[in-house]
Amino acid sequence: MPLELSAAQVQALAPDAASAAAGRKLGKPAPWRTLGQSGAAIWGECQGSALYQTQVALSDFASKCSCPSRKFPCKHALGLLFLAVDASSSFAHVSEPEWVASWHAKREASDEKKKARAESAAEKPVDEVAQAKRARKRQELVLAGLDQLDAWCSDRIREGLSRLHGEGASVWESQARRLVDAQAPALASRLRRIGDEVGTSGDWTERTLHELGTIALLTHAYRRLDALSPELAADVRRLVGFTLDQTEVIAHGDLVEDEWSIVADVLEEVDRVRMQRAWLHGRASGRLATLLQFAAGPTGRFAESLVPGTRFGARLAFWPSALPRRALIVERIGAPASRGPLPAGRAVGANLEAFADSLARLPWHDRELLVLDRVVPVVARRGDATTTLLVDDEAHALPLRGEVHDLLLAVSGGHPIAVAGEWDGYALRALVAEIEGRRVDLARPTG
Amino acid sequence: MNDFLRVAILGTGQVGESRSESTGTRIDPLVDALALPERERAFLLRAGALALATRASGATLRDVARPTPSGEDDLRRPSDRLASSIASVLRRPSDELTLDLLANLAAARLRLPDDVLPIALAEKRASVRARIRPVLGARGLWLAAVRPEWGWALGQDPEASLSPEELGARWDDASAADRLVLLRRARAIDPDLARRLVASSWKQEKAEQRLAWLDAITATLVRDDAPFLVEALGDRSAQVRVAAARMLWQFADSEAASRVRALAESSFARSGAGGVLGRLRSMVGAEKLELEVTLPPEKFDPDWEKVGLVEAAPHGTGRRQWWLTQIMSAVPPDHWLTRFGTTADAIVSAVLVHEFASALLDGLATATVRFGGPSWVRPLYDACARGTTGSSTTDPAGSLAALLAPDDVDVRLRAALRVGELRAIQRFPRPWPREASREFLAGLGTYDPLRSSALRIAALAIPADLLPDSVPDPEVPENDYRAPHYLRELDEFRFIASVRRAVAQESAP
């Protein structure tokens, strides 16, 4: 059986807890009339209120089922994967039935079409005059928007941050809308995020000041794009709201072929849009990459199945940047494998030195994946406040975001463990721990 | 708070020019070099650079001590697969499966997996906590020290071996709950000490606590308790007086027992021929026993309270029949074997045809549970199970079922399973007899909606080593509205069975 996912990894694919539970129940041989596997897929026919044909591609865990569920993957696909984990011998090596073979053919045809579209887009003649005109017009809009934003920020400092607490979200929202009108949507999102944090913690004034200051540095830099390196200029444009489509990323970004471990991921939902931010680590290149995916609605499907703890061969294209992190999958190579260990970790000091280097290259770098080796979670109490620290062998410690991390404490028991998480310069969001080779997902516990 | 942040909070418009708007770092000359005309813009650029410097310098804390790690565990760690099942069970709303699982883990000397310890320690109910404590292991106890609200796991162990001196020393300052723990411990090592401790605080305690103390010693009564109980008959609380009198029923020569026995004998007698000849004839079955039952008088005699009778009847029960039930429950049932010279079967048969059958059966059943009487268990169980005995809060057949001999359980359980008699099925002690279990499992291949509600109970009651690895879905008729419920319950059966089987397999040496 080429599939070696763990039950926890299958569970991580589920769109919600109910689907995972339903999938678990179907992860037994009884409901399956037929089961089979080839080098490319596993499949089965599940007897529910009708006979459903379910299949999962081994290259990327994409699935298809004839059931009417709008959830993706559906419980039948999850059940098939759970069964493959628990009882792989139930799957006979047989030739693919027509309904499996035809799905493969369709997917291959679709991939070819995508490639062809990308190639034709790249070859499409560009009306440079019209393009320059559009760019000029946008530049005028953006600059006017930034002037207006700078004035707004200055007003906040003149009036004092303490007033923000009583003014509500509308202050931020109206300014964010102006930025959207000025075609600077990324800045608008950044402003909304700052507004959301007002009054939510004891140090919100300091954090808000830092964030408004960071925006000031960004608008300052935007007005001096010509003085920046092309890579940093690309970052500044991206942070304001200029986007690249996938063809442009492939055309202008680094292309790196490697075996990529999906170290951890973060799932967030804003305004009914789900986002997955997956952190990848290249085995040979040692590079870090973040893949962002979006899906509409609470159960919408992501384009790629990215299961933390697995690894896969692929060529990635990185967005042009002074600190290339965001990437997209150009092409997968071979079938994914499971149980990729965490990348080699480092002590607290070495991790922070690397983060400082990253900031030197890209001062607006929001977050970085840190892998901390041999750290012990410790509860620290200062007055009424309680926090959790990760302490390394040299007695250096980093604070974790939030209060007490019960699960992390439980799996460590005071013994050194490896922890990977997102560091934003202030606190670590712990995502995964590794104890004696066993992964524990801290962001979404299994069971 | 530094001056720079103070200015930001108050606002540059609110503070004078003299207030510091510099960061006091090398950032200041960089921003000054820009010669910006607007004060606030310069302030914001300083803030941005300061944020960058803060993030780049890292929020490292130094010389942070690590705690002493958790020690080696005497208990074994479950396999990853069982650990996953345990996590699933503990994340569900707590139910019988949780309690069963925790007990089985403790018996198998397995501990809870690390990642479910926070869930287990967050448990609030005392009954579940008592089962969690033995399976926390060294890691769980280490973790319990992290949060004050988890301290219950480290708290005083009711089984801790305190010496009589330690018990006495702790008693005066102990809380009500702790005193109960101390009393149980004292009772186990020195009943006289337990009585002395109780007597020392009896008058100062609330009635609720005094009742709890009586309840704590009721299962281990000794003759030396009688004087203390007689004294409690004069307690200021009616509930305490009644409880003490009922405890005195255990001593046949106590006044309470004698008086209530006299009441019983005047209410419950055999009619017709008595004497030696009559007894002989009924013993050989030549004469059918007929009963003469006299209800207590219309008016409740205040003296009855002193012998342990309660005046107010449960809702839906006649007052006089309720008094009769209590009177019958106060007398060891074997007393009637001697008095009537016949068998329990004969007496129960005679009771069954009497107009006050329900009240009499309730009383006899309670007496059998209270005093014992092996020959009564089967006939009384059968009579109670088929009739309308008990109230909304009592089920005499349920108490008797636990006393039935295994063969008697087997026959009755199988009959109840065949017809899906849920109330009866729930009464039988666990684990179920093996033959009845096998018969139930053999029927799983066939769709039988009458079994729907029995499936969960069976999954918990069938001996774990008999539970099957897999249970196929049976053929389900189309358009049967009961089928979805049946299939859901069958899924639950599979889940519970898989968990119990996994524990059983890992408990094997």
Side-chain angles (χ1 to χ4, degrees):
Chain A
M1 183 66 153
L3 178 72
E4 287 177 14
L5 284 183
S6 68
Q9 287 164 336
V10 174
Q11 178 139 337
L13 282 170
D16 52 41
S19 299
R24 263 190 191 283
K25 285 185 178 173
L26 291 172
K28 307 272 188 307
W32 297 91
R33 289 281 178 85
T34 60
L35 288 166
Q37 63 168 309
S38 65
I42 54 172
W43 64 87
E45 289 177 299
C46 183
Q47 184 63 62
S49 45
L51 190 66
Y52 298 121
Q53 294 177 325
T54 312
Q55 52 194 311
V56 177
L58 296 176
S59 59
D60 57 0
F61 308 122
S63 61
K64 185 176 188 316
C65 184
S66 60
C67 77
S69 171
R70 294 175 65 184
K71 293 186 178 179
F72 193 86
C74 68
K75 63 180 180 181
H76 305 102
L78 291 167
L80 198 66
L81 284 165
F82 276 123
L83 185 57
V85 170
D86 286 345
S88 57
S89 57
S90 307
F91 292 79
H93 283 273
V94 288
S95 58
E96 292 179 355
E98 191 279 331
W99 52 274
V100 175
S102 67
W103 181 56
H104 279 312
K106 269 187 199 163
R107 293 189 79 210
E108 275 167 22
S110 165
D111 287 347
E112 289 301 320
K113 264 188 200 167
K114 256 190 224 165
K115 247 188 219 168
R117 263 204 307 271
E119 279 165 12
S120 72
E123 288 161 9
K124 202 174 163 183
V126 178
D127 181 346
E128 288 180 359
V129 177
Q131 196 178 45
K133 191 178 168 190
R134 281 198 301 273
R136 246 192 335 271
K137 194 176 172 195
R138 182 168 185 188
Q139 177 72 346
E140 285 165 12
L141 270 173
V142 169
L143 284 172
L146 297 194
D147 287 346
Q148 209 276 328
L149 172 64
D150 286 343
W152 183 88
C153 289
S154 290
D155 285 347
R156 304 286 73 79
I157 293 300
R158 192 172 298 112
E159 291 169 2
L161 298 181
S162 58
R163 285 186 59 168
L164 289 171
H165 197 13
E167 287 184 328
S170 60
V171 176
W172 302 87
E173 183 55 32
S174 57
Q175 178 53 37
R177 282 185 190 158
R178 283 187 208 113
L179 284 168
V180 172
D181 292 343
Q183 298 193 7
L187 267 176
S189 301
R190 186 180 276 262
L191 208 61
R192 285 190 178 105
R193 281 201 303 273
I194 303 171
D196 287 345
E197 297 297 319
V198 168
T200 58
S201 63
D203 63 349
W204 72 268
T205 48
E206 189 172 10
R207 294 294 290 268
T208 304
L209 177 62
H210 282 188
E211 294 292 346
L212 292 179
T214 304
I215 286 180
L217 289 182
L218 187 59
T219 59
H220 191 80
Y222 187 81
R223 294 193 183 89
R224 288 155 189 78
L225 281 179
D226 293 343
L228 307 179
S229 70
E231 292 81 11
L232 190 57
D235 285 315
V236 171
R237 285 169 58 80
R238 174 175 55 80
L239 290 163
V240 166
F242 290 84
T243 55
L244 296 180
D245 65 28
Q246 297 202 350
T247 351
E248 290 172 307
V249 175
I250 295 169
H252 302 296
D254 284 352
L255 295 178
V256 181
E257 188 174 319
D258 206 336
E259 185 182 66
W260 299 95
S261 291
I262 304 174
V263 181
D265 74 341
V266 175
L267 292 173
E268 288 173 352
E269 190 174 329
V270 180
D271 296 336
R272 295 182 56 77
V273 174
R274 284 198 309 143
M275 185 211 69
Q276 182 188 31
R277 180 170 59 245
W279 287 94
L280 275 58
H281 178 261
R283 189 178 179 183
S285 64
R287 290 184 67 155
L288 277 180
T290 52
L291 299 190
L292 292 184
Q293 300 198 88
F294 300 90
T299 58
R301 62 194 288 182
F302 290 121
E304 298 279 349
S305 295
L306 299 173
V307 185
T310 60
R311 53 196 156 89
F312 63 102
R315 195 145 51 100
L316 301 188
F318 284 81
W319 262 251
S321 168
L323 184 69
R325 286 290 180 269
R326 189 174 174 197
L328 60 85
I329 298 174
V330 179
E331 185 185 12
R332 283 184 183 255
I333 301 159
S338 74
R339 299 186 184 116
L342 288 184
R346 289 184 282 194
V348 167
N351 266 299
L352 293 186
E353 272 174 32
F355 183 68
D357 288 345
S358 297
L359 286 179
R361 290 166 67 184
L362 177 58
W364 299 277
H365 189 44
D366 280 340
R367 55 180 79 83
E368 185 73 296
L369 184 83
L370 303 191
V371 184
L372 295 145
D373 190 29
R374 291 189 52 79
V375 283
V376 176
V378 176
V379 177
R381 293 189 174 83
R382 203 175 295 162
D384 290 341
T386 307
T387 188
T388 307
L389 306 172
L390 292 180
V391 186
D392 70 10
D393 285 339
E394 294 158 14
H396 292 176
L398 282 184
L400 289 179
R401 189 184 292 180
E403 291 185 349
V404 179
H405 289 248
D406 299 333
L407 181 56
L408 196 54
L409 289 160
V411 298
S412 154
H415 299 276
I417 57 174
V419 177
E422 286 182 339
W423 173 249
D424 63 3
Y426 299 99
L428 188 85
R429 179 177 185 171
L431 299 175
V432 59
E434 193 174 75
I435 307 103
E436 294 167 1
R438 190 171 67 95
R439 272 180 68 93
V440 178
D441 276 302
L442 303 166
R444 40 181 182 190
T446 57
Chain B
M1 186 190 298
N2 61 49
D3 279 348
F4 189 71
L5 179 59
R6 189 174 289 116
V7 171
I9 292 172
L10 295 174
T12 53
Q14 315 299 315
V15 299
E17 290 278 349
S18 60
R19 288 301 287 266
S20 174
E21 289 171 23
S22 61
T23 62
T25 67
R26 281 183 290 171
I27 291 166
D28 296 326
L30 288 173
V31 176
D32 290 342
L34 294 172
L36 294 165
E38 194 192 48
R39 184 183 169 196
E40 286 74 23
R41 181 69 182 161
F43 190 92
L44 279 166
L45 286 175
R46 281 191 175 88
L50 189 63
L52 184 59
T54 305
R55 296 177 69 216
S57 62
T60 321
L61 302 163
R62 292 172 190 279
D63 300 323
V64 181
R66 287 176 171 182
T68 307
S70 64
E72 286 292 311
D73 230 308
D74 292 337
L75 305 178
R76 284 181 298 132
R77 182 193 146 81
S79 68
D80 286 349
R81 193 162 177 168
L82 177 56
S84 169
S85 296
I86 294 169
S88 300
V89 172
L90 290 189
R91 288 199 173 97
R92 289 158 37 128
S94 184
D95 57 9
E96 279 188 280
L97 176 59
T98 313
L99 294 173
D100 180 84
L101 172 68
L102 292 169
N104 287 332
L105 287 175
R109 295 200 52 73
L110 289 165
R111 65 180 172 88
L112 289 175
D114 299 339
D115 36 3
V116 301
L117 287 171
I119 301 171
L121 288 167
E123 176 58 52
K124 297 274 185 258
R125 283 158 302 178
S127 58
V128 186
R129 283 181 172 183
R131 300 254 178 121
I132 287 172
R133 197 195 301 254
V135 291
L136 284 173
R139 176 68 58 91
L141 294 173
W142 178 91
L143 189 63
V146 168
R147 281 182 179 272
E149 61 267 37
W150 291 346
W152 62 266
L154 305 167
Q156 192 177 40
D157 186 345
E159 302 303 321
S161 51
L162 292 172
S163 68
E165 295 72 27
E166 287 170 321
L167 286 167
R170 287 195 191 182
W171 180 264
D172 286 341
D173 298 327
S175 66
D178 286 345
R179 279 188 172 182
L180 208 51
V181 173
L182 294 172
L183 176 61
R184 290 201 177 98
R185 175 68 192 152
R187 188 75 182 168
I189 58 174
D190 183 354
D192 189 45
L193 170 66
R195 278 191 302 275
R196 285 203 310 276
L197 290 175
V198 167
S200 69
S201 311
W202 184 259
K203 288 186 179 164
Q204 294 81 39
E205 282 293 353
K206 291 178 181 172
E208 184 188 337
Q209 181 72 357
R210 299 200 299 278
L211 271 176
W213 287 350
L214 290 181
D215 186 56
I217 64 171
T218 196
T220 55
L221 277 182
V222 291
R223 181 152 293 279
D224 288 347
D225 293 326
F228 165 72
L229 294 171
V230 169
E231 204 170 318
L233 291 175
D235 195 90
R236 59 185 183 274
S237 158
Q239 281 182 298
V240 173
R241 292 196 296 272
V242 167
R246 289 184 173 207
M247 290 167 77
L248 284 166
W249 292 347
Q250 295 287 348
F251 308 118
D253 56 352
S254 70
E255 191 183 344
S258 306
R259 288 177 59 193
V260 82
R261 193 166 56 244
L263 278 172
E265 286 171 355
S266 64
S267 300
F268 190 59
R270 65 176 301 166
S271 62
V276 177
L277 189 61
R279 288 182 189 180
L280 205 58
R281 290 177 67 185
S282 72
M283 280 182 85
V284 297
E287 183 176 89
K288 193 177 172 191
L289 177 68
E290 284 189 22
L291 296 170
E292 194 172 306
V293 181
T294 312
L295 286 177
E298 291 274 0
K299 194 166 181 318
F300 187 81
D301 184 339
D303 266 2
W304 291 351
E305 188 190 275
K306 291 177 187 160
V307 298
L309 302 190
V310 175
E311 180 178 6
H315 181 71
T317 306
R319 282 158 51 90
R320 295 169 74 196
Q321 292 207 32
W322 163 239
W323 301 337
L324 176 64
T325 297
Q326 292 180 82
I327 290 167
M328 293 301 295
S329 77
V331 180
D334 285 353
H335 172 75
W336 307 112
L337 301 183
T338 318
R339 187 164 175 82
F340 295 166
T342 187
T343 61
D345 284 282
I347 296 174
V348 171
S349 298
V351 164
L352 268 174
V353 296
H354 197 277
E355 65 171 310
F356 302 136
S358 178
L360 292 167
L361 287 172
D362 277 0
L364 286 167
T366 308
T368 303
V369 174
R370 178 175 283 144
F371 299 103
S375 65
W376 291 85
V377 175
R378 186 188 41 74
L380 275 175
Y381 174 82
D382 288 341
C384 292
R386 84 169 73 125
T388 54
T389 56
S391 65
S392 57
T393 53
T394 63
D395 176 23
S399 306
L400 291 165
L403 304 175
L404 282 169
D407 285 349
D408 291 334
V409 171
D410 192 46
V411 173
R412 283 155 187 80
L413 173 59
R414 279 199 261 182
L417 286 171
R418 276 179 215 128
V419 294
E421 196 186 340
L422 188 62
R423 192 167 185 217
I425 294 166
Q426 283 172 321
R427 286 178 186 136
F428 292 107
R430 297 171 188 172
W432 284 355
R434 298 181 76 81
E435 278 314 304
S437 298
R438 285 197 183 97
E439 187 175 312
F440 183 86
L441 291 171
L444 279 185
T446 313
Y447 171 67
D448 179 359
L450 286 178
R451 289 167 172 263
S452 292
S453 300
L455 284 163
R456 276 174 204 248
I457 302 165
L460 285 163
I462 290 172
D465 63 305
L466 294 183
L467 288 166
D469 287 334
S470 65
V471 180
D473 270 349
E475 288 291 328
V476 177
E478 281 185 26
N479 304 324
D480 185 339
Y481 71 95
R482 298 167 298 182
H485 176 62
Y486 180 83
L487 292 175
R488 267 198 306 278
E489 293 301 297
L490 191 59
D491 273 345
E492 187 66 12
F493 177 91
R494 290 186 182 113
F495 176 72
I496 297 173
S498 70
V499 174
R500 294 189 63 227
R501 215 175 43 243
V503 177
Q505 281 165 357
E506 293 199 17
S507 65

